[in-house]
């Protein structure tokens, strides 16, 4: 799916992906253990998380939200006209032959950072939120994740 950012539409698409990815390895219950928010200034930096995600695939189910846009992610100046979202899922059987899946949401904004209010509703509440940052982890860069995780 690729569409203008609409959290309800994204959640519906994730539901369809879950249904499509159901297999004999699946227990029928889809539980995520954590949220991972990847903050990247460009596509190359977003892809730098790929090897780590590949290592985790089949081990821990998670919701992964990748934000691709400029490093300054704060305040009203951070609002973007029409960020784009794509949704996908990857599943792999774990050591006990159960399907372990990633729900992946990629939000891309050109020219301006993605406003935290646009993606925070996509975090699954009551589970940990981790951040993967390209570059230096400054307080300003971490602020949107901390705000969204409250």
């Amino acid at each position: 799916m690729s569409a203008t950012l609409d959290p309800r539409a994204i959640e519906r698409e994730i539901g369809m992906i879950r249904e499509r990815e159901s297999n004999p390895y699946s227990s029928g219950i889809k539980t995520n253990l954590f949220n991972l928010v990847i903050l990247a200034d460009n596509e190359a930096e977003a892809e730098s998380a790929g090897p780590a995600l590949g290592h985790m695939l089949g081990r821990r189910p998670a919701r992964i939200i990748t934000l691709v846009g400029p490093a300054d992610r704060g305040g009203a100046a951070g609002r973007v006209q029409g960020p784009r979202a794509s949704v996908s899922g990857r599943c792999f059987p774990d050591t006990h032959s159960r399907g372990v899946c990633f729900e992946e949401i990629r939000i891309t904004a050109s020219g301006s950072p993605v406003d935290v209010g646009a993606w925070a509703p996509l975090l699954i509440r009551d589970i940990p939120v981790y951040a993967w940052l390209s570059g230096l982890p400054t307080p300003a860069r971490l602020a949107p994740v901390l705000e969204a995780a409250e």
Side-chain angles (χ1 to χ4, degrees):
M1 173 189 156
S2 185
T4 303
L5 196 57
D6 175 357
R8 284 188 218 139
I10 290 170
E11 291 292 350
R12 278 192 304 273
E13 186 69 19
I14 287 172
M16 290 189 305
I17 290 170
R18 281 181 179 169
E19 188 174 315
R20 187 172 57 238
E21 294 296 324
S22 294
N23 59 51
Y25 301 113
S26 177
S27 66
I29 298 171
K30 302 299 180 182
T31 303
N32 288 308
L33 297 180
F34 63 93
N35 296 283
L36 174 63
V37 179
I38 300 171
L39 302 167
D41 296 339
N42 54 54
E43 291 292 335
E45 290 180 357
E47 295 304 318
S48 72
L53 296 178
H55 182 69
M56 290 189 308
L57 184 59
R59 298 170 194 253
R60 301 287 183 263
R63 174 161 295 179
I64 301 166
I65 301 171
T66 302
L67 304 172
V68 182
D72 177 16
R73 292 179 168 78
R79 299 193 187 279
V80 175
Q81 299 299 329
R84 303 292 293 172
S86 62
V87 178
S88 63
R90 283 191 275 177
C91 297
F92 195 81
D94 68 3
T95 57
H96 302 290
S97 296
R98 295 175 302 198
V100 179
C101 301
F102 287 160
E103 300 170 353
E104 297 179 282
I105 304 163
R106 184 182 210 88
I107 301 171
T108 305
S110 58
S112 298
V114 179
D115 182 39
V116 67
W119 59 269
L122 298 170
L123 291 173
I124 299 171
R125 299 294 168 199
D126 301 325
I127 62 174
V129 177
Y130 296 98
W132 176 293
L133 283 80
S134 60
L136 296 173
T138 64
R141 295 193 71 201
L142 285 171
V145 178
L146 295 172
E147 179 184 338
E150 290 181 338

